[in-house]
């Protein structure tokens, strides 16, 4: 608006441009994501009574016992990920190597990022299950003292 006034144009010229950029960006984001009805070879995440199973690059399956999970949290608002970090990478099945599951946004060598796009039944249920199966961070620090 200020650029239009400085250039001597009408102030309302070009107000449609932000809308056009927004629509273009949204369309590109929808095309970049897999469709909700698309076929997925394997579930990327599975919770059992004994362990958490993650499917990763090359359809590789990694099982982490609940007692071996140092950190598991859901991050992100628009693109959500489950961030998992094993306490002992050698106790995972198969053993996890440094940076083996490296991906966009990974900040630690044994960190595992699982995308939660189109996850069913939902993030809230996953949060409740993780809270139920994993010890609370406060309880861990009390036991360490």
């Amino acid at each position: 608006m200020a650029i239009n006034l400085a250039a001597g144009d009408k102030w309302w010229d070009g107000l449609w441009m932000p809308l056009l950029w927004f629509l273009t960006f949204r369309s590109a984001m929808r095309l970049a994501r897999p469709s909700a009805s698309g076929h997925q070879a394997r579930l990327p995440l599975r919770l059992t009574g004994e362990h958490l199973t993650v499917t990763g690059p090359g359809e590789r399956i990694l099982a982490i016992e609940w007692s071996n999970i140092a950190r598991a949290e859901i991050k992100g608002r628009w693109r959500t990920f489950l961030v998992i970090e094993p306490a002992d990478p050698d106790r995972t099945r198969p053993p996890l190597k440094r940076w083996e599951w490296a991906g966009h946004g990974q900040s630690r060598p044994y960190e595992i990022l699982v995308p939660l796009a189109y996850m069913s039944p939902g993030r809230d249920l996953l949060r409740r299950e993780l809270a139920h199966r994993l010890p609370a961070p406060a309880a861990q620090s009390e036991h360490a003292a």
Side-chain angles (χ1 to χ4, degrees):
M1 190 162 60
I3 295 171
N4 288 341
L5 289 175
D9 296 333
K10 298 175 189 156
W11 68 268
W12 60 83
D13 282 350
L15 283 181
W16 56 273
M17 285 300 287
L19 177 64
L20 179 65
W21 282 107
F22 175 76
L23 292 174
T24 303
F25 179 74
R26 288 293 290 174
S27 298
M29 291 299 291
R30 287 183 187 243
L31 290 174
R33 285 190 192 173
S35 66
S37 61
H39 174 71
Q40 185 174 1
R42 290 186 176 261
L43 292 174
L45 180 66
R46 187 168 157 231
L47 287 75
T48 66
E50 298 82 32
H51 55 270
L52 173 79
T53 305
V54 181
T55 303
E59 299 295 317
R60 182 161 186 252
I61 298 174
L62 181 73
I64 308 169
E65 293 178 8
W66 291 110
S67 62
N68 190 28
I69 296 177
R71 179 174 65 116
E73 58 186 339
I74 297 174
K75 287 193 171 186
R77 185 174 188 130
W78 300 104
R79 291 194 173 198
T80 56
F81 291 89
L82 174 63
V83 180
I84 308 164
E85 190 171 0
D88 182 7
D90 293 328
R91 283 184 39 211
T92 62
R93 286 176 274 152
L96 187 63
K97 298 176 189 140
R98 286 178 67 88
W99 302 107
E100 184 175 357
W101 290 54
H104 179 70
Q106 186 176 2
S107 61
R108 296 182 181 179
Y110 296 105
E111 199 171 62
I112 300 166
L113 299 177
V114 182
L116 299 178
Y118 304 112
M119 191 185 83
S120 173
R123 293 178 294 193
D124 293 332
L125 181 60
L126 179 60
R127 275 192 187 98
R128 283 195 301 271
E129 284 295 320
L130 289 173
H132 173 71
R133 295 172 190 269
L134 297 173
Q140 287 178 346
S141 63
E142 288 174 6
H143 292 297

